[in-house]
Amino acid sequence: MDNLGLATRDFIDSVSREVFPEIKRWEYEKDNEEGVIELVQVDPGVKNEQAVLVRLEFFPNYIAVLIFNAHKRVIKIINRLLYSFYKYDVSEFFEVVIMPNMHSRQRIPTSDVKKEIMMNEIKTLEKTIDLISSESPKIERVLNLKRGIKMYEQFIINTQKKHLL
């Protein structure tokens, strides 16, 4: 199994065991043709619209991570995502979408190289923004990229602190 497969498996396992230990039954679905992996809560008595679902969609330039009904555990899921891919040295971009609120979309790098790419994109965008006009999509994109970089940097700081203890 390649590093991407190992990182993905580690992430899925850690979400089911560590982030949601109280959930008794999960269903794991993988569709290689579509490039999709899903982890779905199938506990008896839980309605489909209430079930926790974590879906990975693999694209050439990034991995989309859709998180449904995780509520207060979204940050734990993102930390597990970053840790699993860091652990297996997989450099990717993640586009994390929190559902059902589609406005919660965040791009996050998983390596210094990807972070540098995002920083270059920020510099390019900032040069093209005319502050006099209303270019809110570009401004929002810059803010989104900066938030993603900060999330990655905080992950690295937290990981280094754990190794020092």
Side-chain angles (χ1 to χ4, degrees):
M1 187 177 281
D2 65 344
N3 283 6
L4 178 60
L6 292 169
T8 302
R9 174 57 75 182
D10 185 69
F11 168 65
I12 293 295
D13 288 346
S14 67
V15 167
S16 63
R17 280 193 329 258
E18 297 170 26
V19 179
F20 295 100
E22 74 281 1
I23 295 177
K24 303 295 181 224
R25 292 188 58 212
W26 291 95
E27 187 173 281
Y28 172 82
E29 296 177 14
K30 183 175 182 180
D31 185 337
N32 287 332
E33 288 182 23
E34 295 290 324
V36 173
I37 294 174
E38 282 188 349
L39 183 65
V40 184
Q41 177 186 10
V42 291
D43 280 344
V46 175
K47 297 177 183 172
N48 285 345
E49 64 273 4
Q50 296 172 330
V52 174
L53 177 129
V54 178
R55 178 182 172 100
L56 301 175
E57 297 178 2
F58 296 84
F59 295 98
N61 297 326
Y62 68 97
I63 300 171
V65 182
L66 289 81
I67 304 170
F68 293 82
N69 298 320
H71 308 296
K72 295 180 181 179
R73 298 191 194 171
V74 169
I75 295 299
K76 284 185 177 181
I77 293 171
I78 292 171
N79 284 337
R80 294 307 312 162
L81 180 71
L82 290 170
Y83 178 75
S84 294
F85 281 72
Y86 178 81
K87 178 179 171 182
Y88 289 99
D89 197 31
V90 177
S91 179
E92 291 289 340
F93 284 119
F94 290 111
E95 196 75 32
V96 179
V97 179
I98 314 306
M99 302 298 274
N101 183 2
M102 283 297 289
H103 297 289
S104 298
R105 177 179 224 103
Q106 184 63 57
R107 177 163 279 210
I108 305 170
T110 60
S111 68
D112 289 336
V113 171
K114 298 294 183 183
K115 174 186 160 187
E116 198 62 38
I117 291 169
M118 286 176 66
M119 291 176 76
N120 288 336
E121 186 175 347
I122 289 170
K123 289 176 189 171
T124 302
L125 283 169
E126 286 178 334
K127 287 178 186 176
T128 65
I129 294 174
D130 180 5
L131 295 177
I132 297 170
S133 69
S134 173
E135 297 192 66
S136 61
K138 285 184 182 177
I139 294 169
E140 184 59 38
R141 178 78 178 145
V142 167
L143 294 174
N144 183 290
L145 292 169
K146 287 181 178 181
R147 278 190 305 266
I149 289 170
K150 283 186 187 277
M151 290 176 84
Y152 170 73
E153 289 172 341
Q154 188 60 51
F155 165 76
I156 294 298
I157 289 168
N158 291 342
T159 303
Q160 290 171 347
K161 283 182 185 176
K162 286 178 184 175
H163 289 293
L164 292 175
L165 297 177

